[in-house]
Amino acid sequence: MKRISITVLLLVACMIGSTSAHAFGRPRPKPTPAPAPIPVYNYSSEEIEGIRLINQHRLSMGLGEVIQNDFISDQCLDHENYMIQKNVPSHDYFTDRANAIEQRLNAKYVGENVAYNYSTPQSVVTAWLNSDGHRQNIETPRFKRVGYSVRANSSGRKFYTMIFSD
């Protein structure tokens, strides 16, 4: 009896201590690789002011604030660089940006505002609020996160990208 107990204990210890297989020889599932770390986005004072103005408007309507998100802002920055290279404002490849945000942040809804050649945060926000489609993104209650990037081309003309998500 003592010999059988020791054999059973050794068998159980081998199964528990094994790193390559589950008990009874089933393979262990491979761990899901962790996503790459979210880059830290360094917001300019102009970007911070733009987000503040958006939140001021949202609060005046009884909507919650949108919280700046570094991953979304990094997506905005990539688009800024693209628009500066092409020297034209656009929504080119928006679906790619939206898919990346949906996958990374488990978002279901994504909206984007772009602009070109405004001189101040107030002027671009005012222009967006005076445009039905842009205002709709700003005023969508389900949006809780925002990314924002402002960059100037070599002539000093500024390009703006703001992306919202739930």
Side-chain angles (χ1 to χ4, degrees):
M1 179 70 173
K2 200 176 202 181
R3 186 178 186 117
I4 294 173
S5 298
I6 292 172
T7 304
V8 169
L9 285 174
L10 286 175
L11 181 58
V12 169
C14 288
M15 282 192 248
I16 292 171
S18 172
T19 60
S20 63
H22 279 296
F24 309 112
R26 290 188 298 256
R28 289 184 185 268
K30 291 183 180 178
T32 303
I38 294 174
V40 175
Y41 189 89
N42 294 315
Y43 294 89
S44 69
S45 59
E46 189 171 6
E47 291 161 342
I48 291 168
E49 177 64 4
I51 294 169
R52 187 191 73 75
L53 291 168
I54 294 295
N55 280 327
Q56 181 180 35
H57 177 76
R58 286 176 61 93
L59 290 172
S60 76
M61 299 190 65
L63 302 170
E65 290 185 323
V66 286
I67 305 301
Q68 65 194 40
N69 181 282
D70 290 352
F71 181 77
I72 300 173
S73 292
D74 196 54
Q75 294 292 310
C76 293
L77 176 60
D78 287 347
H79 188 56
E80 292 292 307
N81 291 331
Y82 170 81
M83 290 192 301
I84 288 170
Q85 180 185 14
K86 296 292 183 184
N87 202 34
V88 63
S90 76
H91 291 285
D92 292 355
Y93 305 107
F94 170 68
T95 302
D96 293 343
R97 291 185 293 286
N99 287 339
I101 292 164
E102 289 167 0
Q103 289 175 1
R104 183 60 178 254
L105 302 176
N106 200 28
K108 291 181 179 45
Y109 302 97
V110 179
E112 175 178 79
N113 289 356
V114 299
Y116 168 71
N117 205 24
Y118 290 89
S119 58
T120 66
Q122 184 65 63
S123 65
V124 73
V125 169
T126 298
W128 282 337
L129 291 173
N130 288 326
S131 163
D132 290 340
H134 295 100
R135 187 178 65 250
Q136 184 177 1
N137 281 336
I138 293 168
E139 296 176 355
T140 297
R142 71 175 154 247
F143 289 148
K144 306 295 183 213
R145 295 177 283 220
V146 68
Y148 192 36
S149 179
V150 179
R151 293 294 182 274
N153 66 11
S154 59
S155 302
R157 292 196 169 109
K158 294 179 183 175
F159 287 80
Y160 302 81
T161 302
M162 183 172 271
I163 300 176
F164 301 87
S165 83
D166 59 341

